[in-house]
Amino acid sequence: MNRTIAELAGPSLAHRIGRQSIVVLPTGALEHHGPHLPLGTDALLAEAVASAAIERAAAGGIDVWQLPTLTYTKSDEHSWAPGTVWLDAETLFRTVVHIGRSVELMGAGTLVFVNGHGGNVALLQVALREIRRRSGLKTFLMPSLVRADPPAGEGLDENGLGIHGGAAETSLVLHLRPELVDLSRAERWVPEHLASFQHIGFNGRPVSFGWLSDDFGTPGVIGDPTQATPAYGEVLWEASVRQAVESLREIARFEHSPTAGSGGS
Ligand SMILES: [Zn+2]
């Protein structure tokens, strides 16, 4: 069965969607990803993982549907770089809240963001509650790309700072769309000095900080794409799709209250 909402006629969709239905909105970005990756990297990865996960989950009986990918999002950290097309936080927030309203009117009971761009996370987390309060939908946010170790024998040395255009993203695009990657232009840009701070940093450190991607004196890359390989991309792809499928299965049976009936909100 076709799960792509944009390819269905309205009455056909209305006939098939109910409160038990899960609607997935992939969110990416059109933003600078260094000289070696395409601008649409985050959107490409979010859409590919969402599509594959929806296909597998639907084959296993989950009632899940895919909206067109939201590509213009909150990429202001790369606003200095030509090719980045972004929305300010207020506009994106209002956009996703309106999409939530439309999903509610569609008749579905759940909206899931499959997000490929780190700069969207904080805003989407706030939107989860806003949409929940206004529309009554169950709302969820999951990443398109999960962390995984490279295949045995390939060490990864990015000091945990491979967050943008680094080995992971580059490997995944190498796996999915190798013709879009120019490894001859890939360079290591890891802000090594950040490792000397115990409390300040990315990824779970207690003190976070505001940054723009050119603050680090880099060409808009944070990570080491020279360590990317198609084999690592395949590992990341399988891990990402597997986690997304498992997450959709959990979302399908999730209830806020232990006494809530199935399919309610
Ligand atoms: Zn990216």
Side-chain angles (χ1 to χ4, degrees):
M1 187 192 298
N2 189 344
R3 297 285 171 166
T4 306
I5 288 174
E7 296 179 5
L8 299 173
S12 164
L13 179 77
H15 184 65
R16 297 195 216 168
I17 283 207
R19 293 299 281 171
Q20 77 290 343
S21 302
I22 299 167
V23 172
V24 171
L25 175 61
T27 53
L30 188 71
E31 66 179 19
H32 181 74
H33 264 79
H36 61 292
L37 283 179
L39 292 158
T41 292
D42 292 352
L44 187 156
L45 298 180
E47 184 166 312
V49 169
S51 297
I54 286 169
E55 192 180 327
R56 288 191 204 175
I62 304 295
D63 183 2
V64 57
W65 305 83
Q66 183 168 358
L67 282 171
T69 300
L70 188 60
T71 300
Y72 309 116
T73 59
K74 191 179 169 299
S75 298
D76 50 339
E77 69 269 43
H78 308 288
S79 57
W80 57 272
T84 301
V85 182
W86 55 283
L87 303 177
D88 62 41
E90 293 81 3
T91 305
L92 179 61
F93 188 74
R94 289 167 58 89
T95 300
V96 295
V97 169
H98 275 278
I99 289 173
R101 175 76 177 135
S102 299
V103 168
E104 180 209 354
L105 292 173
M106 203 183 280
T110 300
L111 174 62
V112 179
F113 298 101
V114 174
N115 178 51
H117 172 54
N120 293 336
V121 171
L123 183 146
L124 290 176
Q125 284 172 334
V126 178
L128 295 182
R129 177 166 295 140
E130 186 76 8
I131 296 168
R132 170 84 186 140
R133 184 171 60 75
R134 290 201 197 188
S135 306
L137 293 174
K138 294 177 188 170
T139 50
F140 300 88
L141 168 63
M142 65 164 88
S144 55
L145 170 57
V146 306
R147 298 200 170 274
D149 291 328
E154 293 177 41
L156 198 59
D157 164 31
E158 291 181 306
N159 278 337
L161 294 169
I163 64 166
H164 183 69
E169 278 189 329
T170 305
S171 294
L172 252 179
V173 184
L174 272 178
H175 173 64
L176 294 173
R177 297 288 304 276
E179 75 280 10
L180 300 182
V181 183
D182 183 358
L183 274 185
S184 72
R185 304 195 65 190
E187 279 186 72
R188 177 184 176 88
W189 279 102
V190 176
E192 316 273 4
H193 67 290
L194 293 180
S196 69
F197 295 95
Q198 182 186 347
H199 300 298
I200 304 170
F202 303 117
N203 298 334
R205 298 273 174 99
V207 181
S208 47
F209 61 101
W211 55 273
L212 303 171
S213 68
D214 57 348
D215 279 339
F216 307 106
T218 73
V221 169
I222 306 167
D224 188 355
T226 67
Q227 299 180 44
T229 64
Y232 185 29
E234 190 175 353
V235 168
L236 289 164
W237 170 253
E238 282 305 325
S240 298
V241 174
R242 191 183 319 119
Q243 180 172 299
V245 173
E246 290 171 5
S247 300
L248 287 172
R249 287 197 196 112
E250 284 198 4
I251 286 168
R253 62 181 179 82
F254 179 86
E255 296 292 352
H256 291 86
S257 155
T259 56
S262 63
S265 56

